[in-house]
Each structure stands twice: as structure tokens, then as C-alpha cells.
């Protein structure tokens, strides 16, 4: 592919500025992603970073996964299952996102419960104590464990 690009007069690599512009992230974000092992670059003789064009898809993968709440650590683990420097394919995305499906479903259930439970909460001044769904007289919920017991979706693991 690189040969075909070069024959067409297209560089097989991009500068950090070009990747930033085309991917919609800042240069500092690219540098951070690189320190986290999410993307990689090579160096020119003048010590300038050059990114393979496949890094555009990796950056897109990271951004989409982050947008839905996947941690950078989990994204890094997912990308580590791909060949070094390879762009995730459609099949890769399907496989990796399927592994995140249960976690995302759990988060959505947690958010829905939070939304439905707090629909008449005014921010705990507390002017609605007589009907507050979060109220815990005599600390009855302490026996159920730490955290906001009424708001937790059972089976949900705390975010790291």
C-alpha cells in the first residue's frame, strides 16, 4: 500500500499536525495517546514524529470508545490485541465493542435508574424529605454495603 501511495505522490506518513487536524484532536492529545501506547510514530532523521496513515483510524477508535465511556486502560488493552500499528477493521471493532456491551448496558441501566430516581430531587436542601427516595432513616442501608445503595444497579461494579 505504501508503494501505491508513493507512486501516486502521497506520503505514506503524516506529521503530528496533519494527524491532529484530520483526527480532530490536539497535538498534545496525540502525544499523550502515544505515551499511553494507543498510537505510535516513527522519527525522521531530524527527530520529527511521523505517523502511519493507519493511526488516523486508531485515533478515531480511541475517540469513539472514550465517548461512550470506555476507560483509556480498557481501550489500551483492546488495541493491544491488534497487530502493532494496525488500524482496527470493522471486524475488530465488532469483536472489541462486543466485549464492552455488558459494561455499557450496565451503565445505561445505572443512568436510567439515576434519572428515574432523581426526577423530583431538588438537590438536597432537603425540602422534600417526606417523599425523598434517597432518605435512609436510622441508616438501614448500611447493612447492604458501602456506597449509594438505593441508586446502585445491582451487579454494577464501581468505576475505577
Amino acid at each position: 500500500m505504501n508503494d501505491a501511495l508513493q507512486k501516486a505522490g502521497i506520503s505514506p506518513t503524516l506529521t503530528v499536525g496533519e494527524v491532529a487536524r484530520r483526527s480532530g484532536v490536539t497535538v498534545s492529545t496525540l502525544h499523550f495517546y502515544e505515551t499511553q501506547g494507543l498510537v505510535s510514530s516513527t522519527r525522521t532523521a531530524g527527530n520529527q514524529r511521523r505517523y502511519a496513515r493507519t493511526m488516523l483510524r486508531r485515533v478515531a477508535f480511541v475517540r469513539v470508545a472514550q465517548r461512550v465511556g470506555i476507560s483509556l486502560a480498557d481501550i489500551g488493552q483492546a488495541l493491544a490485541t491488534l497487530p502493532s500499528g494496525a488500524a482496527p477493521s470493522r471486524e475488530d471493532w465488532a469483536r472489541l465493542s462486543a466485549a464492552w456491551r455488558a459494561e455499557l448496558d450496565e451503565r445505561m441501566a445505572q443512568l436510567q435508574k439515576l434519572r428515574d430516581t432523581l426526577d423530583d430531587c431538588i438537590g438536597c436542601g432537603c425540602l422534600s424529605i417526606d417523599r425523598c427516595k434517597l432518605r435512609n432513616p436510622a441508616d438501614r442501608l448500611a447493612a447492604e454495603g458501602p456506597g449509594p445503595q438505593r441508586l446502585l444497579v445491582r451487579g454494577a461494579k464501581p468505576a475505577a
Side-chain angles (χ1 to χ4, degrees):
M1 176 154 148
N2 284 345
D3 291 337
L5 289 173
Q6 287 177 329
K7 284 180 183 176
I10 300 171
S11 173
T13 61
L14 301 167
T15 67
V16 67
E18 289 169 325
V19 174
R21 181 181 50 76
R22 291 191 54 192
S23 65
V25 301
T26 64
V27 169
S28 61
T29 297
L30 285 173
H31 292 172
F32 176 74
Y33 285 173
E34 194 167 349
T35 64
Q36 299 301 303
L38 304 172
V39 298
S40 61
S41 67
T42 57
R43 297 289 183 143
T44 66
N47 203 31
Q48 295 176 335
R49 284 181 169 93
R50 291 293 184 266
Y51 292 90
R53 290 179 175 274
T54 56
M55 290 303 116
L56 289 170
R57 184 167 288 178
R58 285 179 79 99
V59 172
F61 178 92
V62 172
R63 291 189 70 203
V64 168
Q66 278 187 295
R67 182 79 173 120
V68 298
I70 306 300
S71 71
L72 281 180
D74 289 344
I75 295 167
Q77 288 175 346
L79 287 173
T81 67
L82 303 177
S84 179
S89 66
R90 182 180 307 226
E91 293 78 21
D92 293 328
W93 176 254
R95 176 179 52 83
L96 298 173
S97 63
W100 295 327
R101 186 173 302 277
E103 181 182 345
L104 292 174
D105 287 343
E106 204 167 84
R107 283 187 197 175
M108 289 186 330
Q110 184 68 54
L111 287 169
Q112 288 172 337
K113 183 172 184 177
L114 182 62
R115 179 201 62 208
D116 295 345
T117 303
L118 295 177
D119 60 352
D120 69 343
C121 180
I122 58 170
C124 216
C126 180
L127 302 178
S128 60
I129 193 107
D130 59 324
R131 66 179 189 276
C132 180
K133 295 175 184 172
L134 303 178
R135 197 164 156 248
N136 184 22
D139 200 20
R140 288 189 323 251
L141 296 174
E144 293 185 34
Q149 293 300 316
R150 289 190 200 258
L151 294 178
L152 290 174
V153 171
R154 298 298 173 211
K157 61 181 180 183

